[in-house]
Amino acid sequence: MGITSPAGEDRHGGGEPAEPMPFKFVAWGGSADVSFWHRLADFKLDTQKLTEEPVNISGFFAPCNQPHAPSYLQLMMESLPPDPGVNDGPIEVPYNRNRLPVPGTLHNTNTVETYNALDKPALLRSAADKIWDDIKSGRAEEDCSLLSRFLVVSYADLKKWTFTYRFAFPGLRMSPQATAASCQPACDFFTKDEAAGVLAACTEWRALPSGASLTSFLLNITPDAKVKAQSLKEWHDAQHEGGKVILAFYDPSNLPANPGWPLRNLLALASVRWGVTRLQVLCYRENRSGLLDLEHSPVLDIILPETPEWKEPVGWELTARGGKGSKFVDLGQSMDPVKLAESAA
Amino acid sequence: MVLSQRLHEAFKGAVERMTSPRTVSAFKEKGVLTPDEFVQAGDNLVSKCPTWSWEMGDPNKRKSYLPAEKQFLITRNVPCLRRACSIEEDYKAAGGEVLLDNDGDEGWLATHGFDRESKDEDEVVPSMDAQESSARPSRNFRPLVPQDDEDDDVLDMDDVGDDNLVEANDSLSQPDYLLAVEPEDDHILKTRTYDISITYDKYYQTPRLWLTGYGETRHLLQPELVLEDVSQDHAHKTVTIEDHPHMAGKHASIHPCRHGAVMKKIIDVLVSKGGNPEVDKYLFIFLKFVASVIPTIEYDYTMDFELGGQ
């Protein structure tokens, strides 16, 4: 499945390679920590009560920063609206490069029956429609975290302190599929001078305090290897500057030849808003020093269909074996007041 | 939790509530920190190792002697490629392969191995009974890798087709995405990940390290299972399961009662070799000595130190 560069003689993929290969996105995974479930229990009891109305939540992620495991979309206490009971004044939350927020929607049901009866395809479709709207209106170029909008369905049994849940990451599907003319590590794709410039530009971009909504960006490389990072909405302007424009995104995937999920909707944006059929993409991953890892970040030379047909979106998280199924967590031992009292006795 | 431990926690909590935090630096004399020094050392860790960051934690548990936005430090999704206990057992077995497919791996949280066995056909809420089924596949641990053989590992179209889960490339044979799957072959350990946090322990006046473990698909691990990733000399002794001071739930923690003394020893060695350890390096030294307790968890403490006799 690995995609290799055709002999690498044409460094920038300008010429047609022998045969573009289909490539696969790595499905994104969701994760929730204990404090999220505690907060959800409180939120359900104090705020949401009997309603099953969807709630806006935030997930958090960072680009993959080591080769052994992908980065997950994490739910934490702060994913849900804060407890109005805590009244110590608003605290400025400093920018945290390790938790970039992504908007999501939580559908928490009151019973197992309503949970099982949720119309999941419809929920996914409606979330995908929002992504479409954001692409077409241009909002997604202002705030590209909108492209990674996600869903969580859950059933919280607060008598037993068990939670059943499932994530979905709506992905827009084009047909025919995008293919890759080449896939090379960034250190091979860029010349030495370009690599230095790309590294510097990415480092600067990553440090921007507004970086949370800037999870995708453009790298504009002039013929004399000067590199600047720009926001997505500058795509058309950047085309006229005569340089080479590369799309970059913070990539949760750790696999050498497979980009992570956020690229899927980004390609939809590139196709629909920019009308491109050829696009070079840097999958931005980091080393442990928090810098672009040139060896482990692939650059894909992607070929998009000219007039793609759009299919039903995909995205419900599958089990590790590829099956359908909810995840389940039992926090009875650490949350149930009765059990806590017993263990204290 | 054993009774003596509970009594001690109650005592410690009472003392912490009644005493004010340390204000005079005793870093070189006792190996301990004031809250301000903890923040200073934490700032340095965050700036040198950007995988670490400050957290605010639960507002209801906020400690007034620390800045609201710098209550504790955390690094998330840290890989742990093999179990510390298996390394030691490997050694004892003189090369015999030690597998970790005991039931203890599964408890508490439903996992994906279980999903495959019993839930692929139709989606239902799992029951606890099913979880205890002995028909689970053996679950060993290895890094996530792409599979060449997709038929088995990626998707079963029959199972998922009606849910629109799958990109099919119209041929129903080539989904355009891939799952980080759990391969079948044994003998290779699978990656767990950890969230590691460092809090300030007011009673012992030292940092305190906490571990929250996740299985290979990032499902929460029962805190007891975390002990498999702790050097067996320390499991159940210096590493205990307790309430986290800033987050919900019980987490494994390295008990800080000896931290001051150990830090003092290391600092003395550094000084005797002509070094002049600064307080902002405290956490680098601390994390280096903690590595002996959790040898297989690959967190960052990249600043290089010459620790003499280490």
Side-chain angles (χ1 to χ4, degrees):
Chain A
M1 142 172 351
I3 301 161
T4 49
S5 152
E9 68 274 274
D10 185 3
R11 286 186 84 82
H12 291 166
E16 284 306 317
E19 199 178 337
M21 313 257 297
F23 61 92
K24 297 186 182 210
F25 302 97
V26 179
W28 210 354
S31 162
D33 69 14
V34 183
S35 61
F36 173 77
W37 300 119
H38 276 249
R39 180 76 197 103
L40 176 61
D42 289 346
F43 182 75
K44 181 71 190 156
L45 293 172
D46 301 338
T47 308
Q48 206 186 18
K49 299 185 176 152
L50 286 177
T51 169
E52 293 186 337
E53 287 295 305
V55 183
N56 290 331
I57 58 173
S58 306
F60 300 94
F61 89 108
C64 184
N65 61 18
Q66 30 90 9
H68 298 298
S71 121
Y72 290 82
L73 189 85
Q74 183 81 36
L75 298 184
M76 320 175 186
M77 188 175 62
E78 294 86 346
S79 295
L80 281 157
D83 181 358
V86 178
N87 254 333
D88 52 3
I91 288 170
E92 183 88 1
V93 181
Y95 167 57
N96 184 337
R97 72 200 306 280
N98 294 323
R99 31 152 110 181
L100 307 175
V102 177
T105 308
L106 171 71
H107 297 263
N108 185 44
T109 64
N110 290 332
T111 66
V112 168
E113 288 73 26
T114 42
Y115 178 82
N116 285 332
L118 283 171
D119 185 349
K120 289 202 214 35
L123 288 176
L124 188 70
R125 215 174 296 125
S126 104
D129 286 346
K130 283 187 197 159
I131 296 175
W132 269 124
D133 289 346
D134 290 335
I135 289 177
K136 288 178 178 155
S137 70
R139 274 193 300 272
E141 279 160 277
E142 303 275 343
D143 178 359
C144 31
S145 71
L146 297 173
L147 292 171
S148 299
R149 192 187 284 283
F150 69 100
L151 284 174
V152 180
V153 292
S154 66
Y155 161 58
D157 183 342
L158 299 183
K159 291 198 181 88
K160 294 184 191 149
W161 297 94
T162 60
F163 302 86
T164 306
Y165 64 105
R166 193 165 173 195
F167 281 85
F169 301 93
L172 307 175
R173 286 166 65 207
M174 64 175 77
S175 175
Q177 270 170 236
T179 52
S182 70
C183 173
Q184 296 169 270
C187 56
D188 294 340
F189 178 84
F190 294 113
T191 66
K192 218 172 168 189
D193 288 346
E194 285 174 344
V198 165
L199 181 62
C202 287
T203 306
E204 203 178 314
W205 188 262
R206 184 85 164 90
L208 289 179
S210 53
S213 64
L214 303 176
T215 52
S216 314
F217 53 100
L218 306 174
L219 291 168
N220 192 340
I221 306 176
T222 64
D224 57 343
K226 293 223 168 26
V227 183
K228 66 177 169 184
Q230 293 175 291
S231 78
L232 295 188
K233 62 185 176 197
E234 293 177 87
W235 171 266
H236 287 293
D237 294 341
Q239 297 305 311
H240 299 303
E241 290 174 22
K244 193 150 51 80
V245 182
I246 288 176
L247 177 65
F249 73 104
Y250 293 160
D251 189 3
S253 162
N254 63 316
L255 302 180
N258 299 91
W261 201 250
L263 179 61
R264 184 192 276 277
N265 295 344
L266 204 49
L267 290 182
L269 182 148
S271 176
V272 171
R273 286 282 294 183
W274 304 336
V276 293
T277 53
R278 190 74 182 257
L279 185 65
Q280 283 151 358
V281 177
L282 167 67
C283 306
Y284 176 98
R285 303 170 190 177
E286 282 182 349
N287 57 28
R288 305 297 270 168
S289 310
L291 300 173
L292 169 67
D293 187 333
L294 288 157
E295 276 171 39
H296 292 110
S297 299
V299 178
L300 283 92
D301 183 9
I302 290 176
I303 299 165
L304 297 171
E306 257 174 51
T307 47
E309 187 187 328
W310 297 95
K311 305 237 163 187
E312 279 283 295
V314 285
W316 284 102
E317 194 178 12
L318 300 181
T319 66
R321 307 301 317 180
K324 291 196 290 179
S326 296
K327 297 188 191 177
F328 175 77
V329 54
D330 180 350
L331 295 180
Q333 292 299 329
S334 71
M335 286 172 74
D336 187 339
V338 178
K339 285 189 185 155
L340 287 181
E342 278 168 9
S343 77
Chain B
M1 203 186 287
V2 291
L3 183 64
S4 60
Q5 192 186 334
R6 298 198 69 83
L7 283 174
H8 178 71
E9 285 302 309
F11 168 72
K12 184 171 167 285
V15 172
E16 284 183 353
R17 277 190 295 279
M18 288 183 294
T19 55
S20 55
R22 169 172 285 278
T23 51
V24 180
S25 176
F27 159 62
K28 284 183 184 159
E29 296 74 24
K30 295 183 179 169
V32 298
L33 290 180
T34 68
D36 287 349
E37 288 173 330
F38 175 69
V39 171
Q40 194 188 338
D43 283 344
N44 196 33
L45 177 68
V46 168
S47 80
K48 300 284 186 342
C49 300
T51 52
W52 289 91
S53 43
W54 283 109
E55 292 275 320
M56 302 173 58
D58 187 341
N60 296 311
K61 298 183 173 186
R62 195 166 289 154
K63 310 289 185 234
S64 59
Y65 45 84
L66 290 166
E69 76 286 3
K70 293 181 180 177
Q71 292 279 304
F72 68 105
L73 294 150
I74 197 162
T75 179
R76 289 194 172 82
N77 206 31
V78 179
C80 176
L81 304 182
R82 57 181 316 198
R83 309 286 76 81
C85 62
S86 84
I87 290 177
E88 289 170 37
E89 285 171 31
D90 276 356
Y91 177 74
K92 282 176 198 150
E97 188 68 39
V98 178
L99 301 179
L100 292 166
D101 54 350
N102 57 24
D103 285 346
D105 264 331
E106 302 286 318
W108 202 28
L109 305 179
T111 63
H112 293 77
F114 151 63
D115 287 340
R116 180 185 63 159
E117 286 299 300
S118 53
K119 296 215 311 340
D120 282 0
E121 300 307 319
D122 43 345
E123 181 174 4
V124 293
V125 173
S127 77
M128 294 306 291
D129 295 338
Q131 252 187 308
E132 278 146 31
S133 151
S134 59
R136 281 189 302 265
S138 79
R139 314 199 54 247
N140 301 301
F141 299 87
R142 63 171 290 174
L144 303 173
V145 291
Q147 293 299 289
D148 292 330
D149 178 6
E150 279 147 29
D151 291 344
D152 286 336
D153 289 313
V154 178
L155 289 170
D156 183 338
M157 301 304 298
D158 294 337
D159 284 351
V160 293
D162 64 346
D163 219 355
N164 293 313
L165 290 170
V166 175
E167 163 67 45
N169 196 18
D170 292 339
S171 70
L172 289 189
S173 64
Q174 269 279 326
D176 78 346
Y177 67 93
L178 132 106
L179 291 163
V181 294
E182 182 184 354
E184 287 289 355
D185 47 340
D186 292 346
H187 309 302
I188 302 176
L189 297 167
K190 179 114 176 137
T191 306
R192 282 184 182 178
T193 53
Y194 277 91
D195 292 350
I196 303 177
S197 52
I198 305 175
T199 60
Y200 179 75
D201 192 285
K202 190 181 165 203
Y203 181 84
Y204 291 103
Q205 304 170 354
T206 62
R208 177 167 187 168
L209 191 119
W210 299 82
L211 297 167
T212 310
Y214 297 85
E216 64 287 348
T217 48
R218 199 70 189 166
H219 56 273
L220 276 161
L221 285 182
Q222 193 174 8
E224 282 72 20
L225 296 181
V226 171
L227 297 178
E228 293 173 350
D229 292 315
V230 169
S231 152
Q232 295 304 289
D233 290 343
H234 295 277
H236 296 293
K237 290 172 226 155
T238 41
V239 178
T240 52
I241 313 292
E242 294 180 45
D243 289 324
H244 194 287
H246 299 283
M247 294 194 291
K250 295 201 178 297
H251 304 252
S253 168
I254 303 180
H255 202 271
C257 55
R258 298 278 304 144
H259 285 359
V262 174
M263 288 300 291
K264 162 82 174 136
K265 261 186 211 156
I266 297 175
I267 291 161
D268 286 349
V269 169
L270 289 171
V271 169
S272 74
K273 298 196 144 211
N276 181 25
E278 301 290 335
V279 77
D280 64 355
K281 312 263 182 357
Y282 188 102
L283 284 173
F284 294 95
I285 304 170
F286 173 75
L287 285 171
K288 193 152 186 151
F289 105 67
V290 162
S292 66
V293 183
I294 44 174
T296 53
I297 302 179
E298 300 177 356
Y299 60 88
D300 289 329
Y301 52 101
T302 52
M303 189 176 276
D304 260 337
F305 278 101
E306 187 50 63
L307 289 186
Q310 265 263 323

